[in-house]
Amino acid sequence: MPKSRFASFGRFRRSHEFWLLIVILVLCASLGAANGQFLTMQNLFDLLTSYAFVGILALGLLVVLIAGGIDISFTATASVAQYVTLTVANAYGANWVCVFAIAIGIGGTLGALNAIFIQKLRIPSIIVSVATLNIFYGLLIFFTGGKYIYSLPDWFATGIFWFEFDWGKDTSYGVNLQILALGFSFLFTWLLLNRSNIGRQIYAMGGNTDAAQRLGFHVFGLNMLVYCYMGVMAGIASLVQAQLAQSVAPTVLVGKELDVVAAVVLGGASLMGGVGTVLGTFLGLALLAILQNGIILLGVSSYWSPFFVGLVILISVSATAWSQRERRTRSARP
Amino acid sequence: MTTFLEMSGISKRFGGVHALRDVDLTLEVGEVHCLVGENGSGKSTLIKIISGVEAPEPGGRIVISGKEYPKLSPVYSTHCGIQVIYQDLSLFSNLTVVENIAMAHHLGGVHTVNWSSMRAIAMATMAKVGIEVDPETKVSELSIAGRQLVAICRALAADAKLLIMDEPTASLTRHEVNTLIKLVSDLKRSGICVVFVSHRLDEVLEIAERVTVLRDGAKVGTFAAAAIDGSKLSHLMTGKAFEYQKQVPDLAVGAVVLEVQGLGRDGDYDDVSLQLRAGEVVGLTGLLGSGRTELALSLFGMNPPDRGTMALDGHRVVLNTNADAIRRGIAYVSEDRLTLGLILDQSITSNVTLTVLERLAGAFGLIGTRARQSHVARWVAELGIKVSDPNNPVKTLSGGNQQRIVLAKWMATNPRVLILDSPTVGVDIRAKDGIYEIIRRLAREGVAVLMISDEIPEVLYHSHRVLVMREGRLTADVMAADTSEDALRQAVNA
Ligand SMILES: Nc1ncnc2c1ncn2[C@@H]1O[C@H](COP(=O)(O)OP(=O)(O)OP(=O)(O)O)[C@@H](O)[C@H]1O
Ligand SMILES: [Mg+2]
């Protein structure tokens, strides 16, 4: 049906994602022209590797935002998961399956705590997650004294490196733990949100909670799932980050929330719930990475980076709001 | 005839409010049953009990197809074939038409989504109901009438045996209502029981076989529609009789307040010239899509015209935003009160005081609780709004009372020009009477009122002058005293 394909392209052209894509292409072209280093395979792999942590968390947050909630405690959750998991691995020995199982378990449990406070006590999610961020983080610092862990199990420190291939003379690329986890998280979240009835229930609930309840959706269960999913993503992201940093530092993750929120919001997710896509989040993450990386490659002081990120968020959110308003007033009611 | 649902001894309390007292109801297979009653008489609450959203007080009995339940849950009642279209439609405006209609596909255990079967279900029901919209559009982009049809499709797609519609016609035009009535009789023929709530009594009598009347949460009785008429019904509902006469313009009609010349906006309306005088109520009618609402929005600064001029008190003005309009004393009560008029989650107090914050402010721009409370108390009394506690969120009010809150909000601004878009939609007959009285009083106080309505008797009996709009142009401008219902109907539909 060529007609419907045109129609869906038309719809894509009006979407937030389309404009993001244009902005990203323009940015890439100009950064590529300004600095030959930018558009290289090396830089691409580096960016994917170093933004895997933010990206995985962004996917968890995307699901929470679509459900109509918000969670900012995930960096503390990740810090706890990371610390406990690698302490256990150091003490008792473990393998990949084990460490991921532990980190996921811890993340999921902490997420469930958030869900219980939010749903059972009906406290707004922003307040709950600000509180739990401080509680999780405070307890972690108290029990660890803020000490870093530098010695990690050998197999963990080595990481993984799959599908190695050579490029040019002496550079070789492969799929490392970060890229693998990032790719898997994107795939799984996409499947959850677009191919499972649970994902669609999450969208519906975020769009109209009362209506979801009336249709018999299990609102408590869905919220539980959503916040656990955020926690699980925090668990996975925490190992990805520890492997990359080759150390566990209880104090460095907290504070990175805003990067994650930035990526998701740039990607078009709405804090009002019900709106947001995996593609958008990917593009939002890409834009964030390109901006921050571009600033460094252009030799601008990296102190400017938050300024530009903030500016781009403002512009992109206003542009979307403006175009929606235009469309609403222009579409004369039938 | 077989009984589909039988309930007895149903009561419901919300805090101090006794929303239902010991109500009985039977619904037969394949009948159209109307529920009528004033705003806040408990119609929506009764429906929520049938659908299992609210649980009745212990002691009630509900029997569906011979099986007894002490109370229902949304899942049970859906399982029994009960589908409700709520006053607020309960659609997911962030999702597409297809997904809304086939939403039941997402229920049940974890499974993958079969998009093509969802699409097939949606297309089949859309064809049955006869709507033509792009199935991939988001519901938020549809008109209210379009959303209504989507809600009906969703109920049908879920295999309804009992379809309950809570004020389905409140925001439809006469033409759309006719389509709906035809649809309902088709449904009835296929053995579906339809429960219909409406404040338009002529419609109720046209569509129903039996009518159940509620007053203050108690059942007055169930009557055969053939055995009663509109005035008897309104008497049963309120214990009061209503009769209207045409408005004769006061000799005191004052100077021209608002004048527009050759106003036009591409795709909406064109070549509109009109005058509104102080102390005059002007009715504006026409089919939905005739450009009435678009014109009204332009007068309120929200839909800037492409051509033409506007003058207030003889001075030319250009209104770019509604803030401009409000500052100049123009108020607008929208037809779509649920999205444009109210902040549903906020308290009644905050909603009513929203437009007059500056006026209520005392020293240092702070607003005293006392000033707020007395302001709210005044308007609640003036419009007869049924409120148990002004600090409750607006969404706990019945639909008609929400409408009165919107009116209060704008009337409180002391406007010089008041534009009312369908002010009595979803409002019961007694409250309508109250609203007409308020409009008359405002006019006597020198306000210029422009009242938009679908209902021809409404504009005929409650305005001094009537304008008719058709396909974006004003086609008639007559004194109410010099015209008749038939003449106006012809002008509207010609
Ligand atoms: N959740 C709630 N909390 C408190 N009071 C409520 C709640 N829901 C309904 N009520 C009250 O119960 C009464 C009955 O309301 P209901 O919505 O059933 O009226 P209705 O007959 O549908 O009126 P309308 O014609 O205006 O829609 C009203 O006084 C209303 O304020
Ligand atoms: Mg109601």
Side-chain angles (χ1 to χ4, degrees):
Chain A
M1 286 188 288
K3 186 164 164 259
S4 99
R5 199 162 305 147
F6 270 131
S8 63
F9 181 71
R11 221 168 286 122
F12 178 65
R13 243 187 42 187
R14 279 185 279 132
S15 68
H16 180 81
E17 285 85 346
F18 177 76
W19 292 108
L20 261 183
L21 193 61
I22 301 279
V23 171
I24 289 174
L25 291 179
V26 169
L27 262 181
C28 280
S30 31
L31 282 172
N35 188 321
Q37 285 246 290
F38 180 73
L39 283 179
T40 56
M41 221 35 186
Q42 174 76 50
N43 198 31
L44 176 71
F45 272 78
D46 284 353
L47 280 181
L48 280 176
T49 307
S50 50
Y51 279 86
F53 174 70
V54 172
I56 296 169
L57 289 173
L59 288 163
L61 183 61
L62 171 71
V63 175
V64 175
L65 288 187
I66 290 173
I70 184 153
D71 184 352
I72 58 160
S73 67
F74 49 80
T75 49
T77 306
S79 301
V80 173
Q82 196 179 52
Y83 207 95
V84 175
T85 306
L86 288 163
T87 307
V88 170
N90 271 333
Y92 305 102
N95 57 25
W96 285 113
V97 177
C98 261
V99 286
F100 273 100
I102 298 172
I104 285 174
I106 293 172
T109 312
L110 298 185
L113 280 180
N114 276 331
I116 288 170
F117 283 121
I118 292 164
Q119 285 294 303
K120 287 290 172 200
L121 303 182
R122 310 216 159 270
I123 311 173
S125 47
I126 179 79
I127 297 176
V128 168
S129 66
V130 168
T132 51
L133 168 81
N134 285 293
I135 293 172
F136 298 160
Y137 183 58
L139 287 176
L140 180 69
I141 297 301
F142 176 76
F143 283 112
T144 63
K147 275 201 295 290
Y148 283 35
I149 303 175
Y150 286 111
S151 71
L152 300 176
D154 277 345
W155 51 271
F156 188 81
T158 318
I160 54 170
F161 207 60
W162 288 354
F163 311 120
E164 197 173 335
F165 61 93
D166 292 332
W167 188 278
K169 273 182 262 94
D170 41 24
T171 36
S172 68
Y173 303 100
V175 174
N176 54 24
L177 176 69
Q178 285 71 27
I179 295 179
L180 187 71
L182 183 66
F184 176 77
S185 302
F186 267 104
L187 181 67
F188 190 82
T189 309
W190 186 84
L191 287 173
L192 173 74
L193 288 178
N194 298 296
R195 285 285 177 270
S196 83
N197 65 325
I198 301 298
R200 302 317 294 175
Q201 290 189 12
I202 292 173
Y203 271 102
M205 179 179 77
N208 189 342
T209 314
D210 287 345
Q213 200 131 31
R214 285 172 185 167
L215 277 184
F217 288 3
H218 196 331
V219 169
F220 177 74
L222 285 175
N223 272 294
M224 182 56 95
L225 181 104
V226 159
Y227 287 98
C228 286
Y229 192 74
M230 174 80 252
V232 166
M233 286 302 178
I236 295 175
S238 77
L239 292 187
V240 159
Q241 194 274 344
Q243 201 281 328
L244 185 66
Q246 296 285 316
S247 66
V248 172
T251 53
V252 300
L253 299 186
V254 171
K256 294 230 186 283
E257 303 83 39
L258 294 187
D259 267 2
V260 177
V261 175
V264 184
V265 170
L266 274 175
S270 157
L271 296 176
M272 309 294 287
V275 178
T277 60
V278 171
L279 173 64
T281 302
F282 177 75
L283 295 173
L285 178 70
L287 184 55
L288 181 78
I290 292 167
L291 273 174
Q292 294 181 338
N293 180 244
I295 285 167
I296 295 169
L297 288 184
L298 289 180
V300 180
S301 155
S302 63
Y303 291 129
W304 279 103
S305 146
F307 171 81
F308 282 109
V309 172
L311 198 65
V312 170
I313 290 180
L314 264 188
I315 293 172
S316 98
V317 173
S318 336
T320 314
W322 183 77
S323 81
Q324 274 171 0
R325 218 178 71 176
E326 269 300 277
R327 187 134 43 92
R328 211 166 17 233
T329 50
R330 273 289 157 193
S331 74
R333 291 165 222 207
Chain B
M1 263 211 173
T2 44
T3 303
F4 176 72
L5 176 142
E6 186 181 349
M7 52 204 281
S8 53
I10 301 295
S11 301
K12 179 73 191 174
R13 253 178 238 261
F14 292 106
V17 183
H18 221 133
L20 287 177
R21 305 163 203 260
D22 202 15
V23 172
D24 304 344
L25 185 71
T26 45
L27 300 173
E28 311 287 342
V29 170
E31 80 165 330
V32 179
H33 196 118
C34 282
L35 269 183
V36 298
E38 291 186 273
N39 293 134
S41 57
K43 303 177 298 290
S44 299
T45 308
L46 186 61
I47 288 172
K48 284 181 188 149
I49 287 174
I50 299 178
S51 65
V53 171
E54 302 277 6
E57 308 297 328
R61 214 171 78 96
I62 304 173
V63 181
I64 300 174
S65 309
K67 200 158 172 266
E68 181 168 342
Y69 302 84
K71 62 168 197 172
L72 293 163
S73 75
V75 177
Y76 275 147
S77 75
T78 319
H79 186 73
C80 297
I82 298 174
Q83 284 290 322
V84 184
I85 299 171
Y86 291 94
Q87 237 163 329
D88 63 8
L89 299 183
S90 279
L91 292 173
F92 301 98
S93 55
N94 57 328
L95 303 177
T96 62
V97 171
V98 165
E99 201 166 4
N100 269 281
I101 294 178
M103 188 51 81
H105 176 85
H106 294 325
L107 285 166
V110 180
H111 57 83
T112 56
V113 177
N114 186 340
W115 287 105
S116 59
S117 101
M118 285 183 76
R119 203 181 149 90
I121 293 171
M123 299 300 268
T125 23
M126 282 168 71
K128 195 150 64 179
V129 172
I131 48 172
E132 283 162 24
V133 292
D134 176 358
E136 298 299 333
T137 41
K138 291 223 168 82
V139 165
S140 59
E141 292 172 22
L142 298 182
S143 67
I144 303 181
R147 291 181 201 190
Q148 181 103 51
L149 291 173
V150 170
I152 293 176
C153 286
R154 181 172 77 188
L156 295 183
D159 208 10
K161 294 202 185 72
L162 167 60
L163 179 62
I164 305 178
M165 301 194 225
D166 197 351
E167 293 193 41
T169 58
S171 31
L172 301 188
T173 59
R174 189 65 222 183
H175 177 70
E176 290 162 331
V177 171
N178 289 341
T179 318
L180 185 69
I181 288 180
K182 202 177 145 290
L183 185 64
V184 167
S185 48
D186 287 349
L187 293 177
K188 176 180 136 68
R189 258 196 298 283
S190 61
I192 294 177
C193 173
V194 181
V195 170
F196 203 88
V197 177
S198 173
H199 287 292
R200 296 182 179 176
L201 300 181
D202 52 339
E203 216 172 79
V204 167
L205 293 168
E206 186 175 342
I207 198 170
E209 272 137 30
R210 296 196 300 157
V211 183
T212 292
V213 181
L214 292 179
R215 192 199 299 179
D216 280 333
K219 178 170 151 179
V220 176
T222 298
F223 308 90
I228 45 176
D229 59 23
S231 66
K232 197 157 163 218
L233 257 190
S234 57
H235 197 265
L236 287 169
M237 283 160 55
T238 61
K240 196 177 155 193
F242 297 90
E243 187 130 358
Y244 296 115
Q245 258 139 33
K246 287 189 197 169
Q247 303 290 299
V248 184
D250 253 342
L251 291 177
V253 164
V256 173
V257 181
L258 179 78
E259 173 160 22
V260 302
Q261 285 282 342
L263 215 60
R265 182 178 154 97
D266 293 332
D268 284 353
Y269 57 83
D270 205 4
D271 203 15
V272 171
S273 301
L274 59 87
Q275 293 183 333
L276 300 180
R277 291 169 183 277
E280 187 185 33
V281 181
V282 177
L284 172 59
T285 187
L287 298 176
L288 195 70
S290 59
R292 319 171 304 197
T293 296
E294 289 72 14
L295 174 65
L297 285 173
S298 294
L299 299 182
F300 190 53
M302 281 178 68
N303 189 30
D306 298 328
R307 289 174 292 285
T309 60
M310 237 174 111
L312 264 175
D313 300 321
H315 301 292
R316 213 178 139 181
V317 290
V318 177
L319 303 175
N320 288 319
T321 64
N322 52 352
D324 286 349
I326 294 170
R327 207 171 326 110
R328 296 194 149 93
I330 302 178
Y332 172 71
V333 178
S334 63
E335 63 174 337
D336 183 5
R337 61 173 180 259
L338 293 183
T339 60
L340 298 176
L342 288 172
I343 308 171
L344 286 174
D345 286 315
Q346 289 199 3
S347 71
I348 293 160
T349 306
S350 344
N351 271 283
V352 175
T353 52
L354 201 59
T355 49
V356 289
L357 291 177
E358 280 169 37
R359 239 185 335 112
L360 292 178
F364 308 114
L366 299 177
I367 298 173
T369 324
R370 182 111 27 98
R372 273 168 66 126
Q373 276 169 354
S374 67
H375 176 86
V376 173
R378 181 182 144 215
W379 284 101
V380 164
E382 202 138 328
L383 295 186
I385 306 174
K386 213 173 160 187
V387 166
S388 55
D389 177 355
N391 296 318
N392 283 349
V394 164
K395 68 177 177 191
T396 64
L397 290 180
S398 74
N401 283 313
Q402 292 181 2
Q403 174 72 333
R404 287 186 242 186
I405 298 280
V406 182
L407 278 174
K409 185 175 119 179
W410 287 108
M411 287 180 178
T413 62
N414 284 340
R416 306 189 47 226
V417 178
L418 176 63
I419 305 171
L420 299 165
D421 200 343
S422 315
T424 62
V425 159
V427 169
D428 70 47
I429 181 155
R430 188 203 297 262
K432 271 187 192 164
D433 194 57
I435 290 173
Y436 298 143
E437 181 49 45
I438 290 163
I439 293 175
R440 271 196 293 277
R441 202 185 66 218
L442 288 170
R444 272 199 301 277
E445 288 165 7
V447 178
V449 182
L450 179 66
M451 176 173 69
I452 303 177
S453 175
D454 281 330
E455 293 186 55
I456 286 171
E458 180 163 280
V459 290
L460 185 64
Y461 291 111
H462 304 285
S463 27
H464 301 121
R465 190 149 60 87
V466 181
L467 308 176
V468 177
M469 212 163 171
R470 207 172 66 227
E471 288 165 12
R473 283 164 199 272
L474 281 185
T475 54
D477 183 345
V478 287
M479 299 311 286
D482 303 336
T483 184
S484 67
E485 261 184 63
D486 285 340
L488 284 179
R489 195 153 281 138
Q490 218 153 49
V492 167
N493 292 305

